[in-house]
Amino acid sequence: MQAGSLGFCLGVLAILALPGWPGRVWLVPILVGLVLLVLARWRWWPWLLAGMAWTLFAVTPGHLQLPTALEGQDLRVTGWIAELPGQAHGAQRFSLRVASLHGPDGEPLAFRGGVALNWYGAPLDLRAGDRWAFNVRLKRPRSLLNPGAGDPERWYFARRLHARGYVREHPPPRRLARAETLPLTRWRVRLAERLSERLENRPHAGLVRALAVGDRRAVSDAERSLLQRTGTAHLLAISGLHVGLAAGWWYLLLGAVWRRVPDLALRLAAPRAAALAAIPGALLYALLAGLSLPTRRALAMILLAMLAHYWLRPVSLFRLLAMALLLSLLMDPLAPLNPGFWLSFGAVGIIAYGLLDRRELAPEQLWWRLQLFISLGLAPLGMLAFQGVSLVSPLANLVAIPWASVTVVPLTLLAALLDLPGLGPLLLDLALGSIRWLLRFLEWLAAQDWVHRHWPRPPPWALGLALLGSLWVLAPRGLPGRWLGLVLWLPLLAPP
């Protein structure tokens, strides 16, 4: 299974690495080759061709859909607000899932996917799932040629946003229908608005909303900078860790209750009942996050692990990770274009690799070593994705992860879901107090200038050597000269 998932992933990457998007006509030779390899009983190559075929089938080549001649012209577009609208630089920013697009002369245009829009006028009551009509000016997403700069074209393409632009004032925007689609996003919006009413712009209220429903719009720049400097940005936004925590709390709670009811325990063993209860707990929290990429990975692993636990089947962490990788790519073959894909799967892969021969260690020893392993293993990817690395990340996460697991996440989740008089405000006060103490600890760590180092984006060969060096250093005991893996880091650390 591990080899098949890896082959499927390599097939997806092979298509994404091409300089231009191939047409679907290439599906024919790929499928013919796939059938021939299956008939020849090859085990690995069919998975690679299957990954290529699935990517070509599932992805629409959006960069070919907006003719260059229509850039900068007035177009009429109708569609549905597709996400939680945000504010930036004096404009409302939102994405629109296009239903129809008409040219300057009113002729319909073939266009599928989404567009990213800015509105600079008086604030509109934009809500996810509402259908609107706008007069817009669009252009294709393009990247900059500055060395080391971000890649906006990749960012838009990964999110299937095939054009970007702004809304014109005349004719004015017009709402065509309310709450017509996207019920999950509308539910998240209602929870976010209810939390905002309760919090009333209190300090760190944005972090509570980010943890509860994955809405990071209200997180301040100072808070973002603090979390980035300490390497703890993954904690205060719904991630795979939090979905696992939700599943774990459901598992422990129902297991404890089930054991105390003899009639239930005789019908179904408590561990098996708890395994079934953990699945909806993880699913609920993943839905609150809008099924983001890290939560999909965690949800797939939890689902497979709990089903294996229910059927009393042993399953390795590597096998769970491989199956989650396959499911994630089936859901979205463009996921590898997102740095979160590599960071999410990389963190779990490093944990599995670090546990190969270290299960006999005491829990406290294993805990701090895993934090060191994750920081060392993900540092090259952090330099590539964010051009920086936190030097205090192991120490910060050593304290912050258990603190958030025991106090911040449970209190925030309960406050978001329980709208009971008296209890809801109390839970919010406790959650805010817990976040406040955690941020004080992180501010103490981040007080020095040296805790976070900015670094230029490394060339691919230096990044590959550093990743190989990390695997060498973290290898199981018995491999001689593991410290020599640090030598492979030298090209990455050398200044350009």
Side-chain angles (χ1 to χ4, degrees):
M1 185 63 199
Q2 291 94 320
S5 297
L6 181 60
F8 191 92
C9 182
L10 290 177
V12 174
L13 294 177
I15 297 296
L16 297 182
L18 294 175
W21 195 260
R24 287 187 175 176
V25 67
W26 285 96
L27 275 173
V28 177
I30 291 175
L31 291 175
V32 171
L34 175 61
V35 172
L36 293 177
L37 290 176
V38 170
L39 293 177
R41 297 185 179 180
W42 288 60
R43 294 185 176 181
W44 191 82
W45 285 98
W47 286 94
L48 186 141
L49 292 182
M52 298 174 66
W54 175 247
T55 306
L56 289 176
F57 174 78
V59 178
T60 302
H63 59 287
L64 301 177
Q65 293 178 353
L66 183 68
T68 307
L70 295 178
E71 290 187 313
Q73 297 196 35
D74 284 354
L75 306 175
R76 191 67 175 172
V77 62
T78 62
W80 298 274
I81 307 296
E83 62 179 11
L84 305 176
Q87 293 278 347
H89 306 294
Q92 279 185 287
R93 291 187 172 182
F94 59 97
S95 62
L96 192 75
R97 196 172 71 185
V98 175
S100 64
L101 181 67
H102 292 80
D105 299 329
E107 73 279 9
L109 303 174
F111 189 96
R112 287 179 295 173
V115 295
L117 295 174
N118 290 343
W119 165 248
Y120 294 95
L124 299 173
D125 184 22
L126 300 174
R127 293 178 176 271
D130 291 358
R131 182 157 52 94
W132 283 75
F134 298 106
N135 202 46
V136 298
R137 286 191 176 178
L138 301 176
K139 61 181 179 179
R140 297 184 186 182
R142 292 184 176 88
S143 295
L144 302 174
L145 293 179
N146 298 350
D151 192 346
E153 188 173 352
R154 176 190 296 259
W155 188 90
Y156 283 107
F157 185 72
R159 287 155 182 80
R160 291 178 170 82
L161 298 173
H162 304 323
R164 56 189 294 262
Y166 61 94
V167 178
R168 303 276 286 169
E169 293 188 6
H170 301 289
R174 185 163 56 95
R175 193 199 312 267
L176 303 179
R178 290 183 179 270
E180 200 170 54
T181 185
L182 301 175
L184 172 60
T185 307
R186 297 202 308 271
W187 175 54
R188 294 175 58 221
V189 169
R190 287 195 296 269
L191 283 178
E193 291 175 346
R194 192 170 65 189
L195 284 173
S196 298
E197 293 174 358
R198 292 179 182 177
L199 294 169
E200 296 179 353
N201 298 321
R202 295 169 64 181
H204 314 309
L207 294 176
V208 173
R209 287 180 55 173
L211 270 174
V213 296
D215 179 11
R216 308 183 193 183
R217 295 174 299 170
V219 179
S220 67
D221 292 338
E223 292 167 337
R224 292 177 188 271
S225 176
L226 175 62
L227 298 177
Q228 183 181 7
R229 285 173 58 81
T230 55
T232 54
H234 63 96
L235 283 179
L236 296 179
I238 302 179
S239 65
L241 170 66
H242 300 117
V243 176
L245 289 174
W249 281 111
W250 275 100
Y251 182 94
L252 294 175
L253 179 62
L254 188 85
V257 173
W258 202 272
R259 291 185 183 91
R260 284 161 175 76
V261 183
D263 291 341
L264 294 177
L266 289 174
R267 292 178 180 272
L268 182 64
R272 301 180 75 182
L276 294 179
I279 295 175
L283 177 61
L284 176 63
Y285 206 11
L287 291 175
L288 280 173
L291 288 177
S292 61
L293 194 152
T295 60
R296 292 201 303 266
R297 188 267 308 159
L299 183 61
M301 294 187 68
I302 291 168
L303 173 63
L304 297 169
M306 291 299 102
L307 290 178
H309 187 58
Y310 178 83
W311 293 111
L312 306 179
R313 299 289 181 87
V315 59
S316 69
L317 186 54
F318 277 115
R319 180 176 289 271
L320 287 176
L321 187 62
M323 298 174 72
L325 173 64
L326 181 60
L327 290 175
S328 297
L329 293 174
L330 287 173
M331 294 177 64
D332 183 11
L334 296 182
L337 297 178
N338 190 325
F341 174 87
W342 301 101
L343 295 174
S344 178
F345 280 96
V348 181
I350 290 170
I351 291 174
Y353 185 67
L355 291 176
L356 282 176
D357 71 331
R358 298 177 175 92
R359 297 180 184 274
E360 74 281 359
L361 295 176
E364 61 276 7
Q365 291 179 314
L366 187 62
W367 177 246
W368 72 261
R369 287 196 181 192
L370 281 180
Q371 298 307 317
L372 184 62
F373 293 167
I374 293 174
S375 298
L376 180 63
L378 294 184
L381 294 178
M383 292 181 181
L384 177 66
F386 309 114
Q387 290 82 58
V389 62
S390 174
L391 301 181
V392 295
S393 175
L395 177 58
N397 284 288
L398 191 68
V399 175
I401 289 180
W403 183 275
S405 304
V406 176
T407 62
V408 178
V409 173
L411 289 171
T412 303
L413 185 58
L414 289 174
L417 297 177
L418 296 181
D419 191 14
L420 300 177
L423 182 59
L426 175 62
L427 291 172
L428 278 178
D429 288 339
L430 293 175
L432 285 171
S434 180
I435 291 175
R436 191 178 302 114
W437 280 103
L438 176 58
L439 293 183
R440 287 181 180 177
F441 168 71
L442 297 179
E443 287 170 354
W444 174 74
L445 282 182
Q448 304 299 322
D449 294 336
W450 55 266
V451 299
H452 185 269
R453 305 298 298 174
H454 294 283
W455 213 263
R457 178 173 295 177
W461 63 271
L463 177 68
L465 286 178
L467 290 173
L468 183 60
S470 297
L471 293 178
W472 193 350
V473 171
L474 303 180
R477 288 176 295 180
L479 182 69
R482 285 184 297 166
W483 62 272
L484 291 174
L486 296 176
V487 177
L488 298 180
W489 270 67
L490 295 180
L492 184 70
L493 300 178

